[in-house]
Amino acid sequence: SIELGIPPLRSLEPRDFQLQTVRKEYSEWKVLMKLLEATLEEHGKLVTMPRPAEVQEMFTCVLDCGVLACLTNATSTGRKRRASQLLVTTASKMVKIARREQQGVASDGA
């Protein structure tokens, strides 16, 4: 938020953080955000400086595309997953695995 004097997250780099654990968490966030941006760009919905209504529209697009569907799937033991309580590292890992599986299925079917 420029009004609050907070720089855009895009301008941050891992070296801006002192602790290695924080750098790793930032990198995981960056991976997720790039994936979301790529999805929005594919569907022509990416807005670089969005207003609140546009943010809601972009979020709806991401949900409709199913990019984050893997976060709400049941666990391997059948327990319902609470996506809001996942760590960013877990969410990022799950999304990466789902993308790899999706790409594997797409290339097998071609």
Side-chain angles (χ1 to χ4, degrees):
S1 172
I2 296 170
E3 300 86 30
L4 298 175
I6 301 170
L9 292 177
R10 195 176 304 247
S11 67
L12 292 175
E13 295 184 20
R15 68 174 181 228
D16 294 330
F17 304 100
Q18 289 183 341
L19 298 175
Q20 183 176 0
T21 54
V22 178
R23 284 194 298 268
K24 285 182 178 182
E25 186 173 347
Y26 168 75
S27 293
E28 294 296 338
W29 274 111
K30 196 168 184 172
V31 166
L32 278 175
M33 296 310 291
K34 283 185 177 185
L35 172 66
L36 296 178
E37 286 180 354
T39 301
L40 290 167
E41 200 167 334
E42 273 178 29
H43 291 85
K45 299 283 187 179
L46 182 63
V47 179
T48 54
M49 296 294 285
R51 295 186 306 274
E54 293 169 324
V55 170
Q56 181 63 42
E57 186 178 327
M58 288 190 300
F59 185 70
T60 302
C61 175
V62 168
L63 291 179
D64 290 346
C65 294
V67 175
L68 302 177
C70 62
L71 301 182
T72 57
N73 295 345
T75 64
S76 58
T77 60
R79 190 173 49 83
K80 185 175 169 82
R81 190 180 311 275
R82 296 180 190 150
S84 63
Q85 295 180 354
L86 290 175
L87 296 173
V88 68
T89 51
T90 305
S92 178
K93 179 180 170 185
M94 291 172 63
V95 169
K96 286 178 195 174
I97 290 170
R99 289 284 282 196
R100 262 186 263 142
E101 289 173 356
Q102 212 174 35
Q103 289 169 349
V105 168
S107 64
D108 290 345

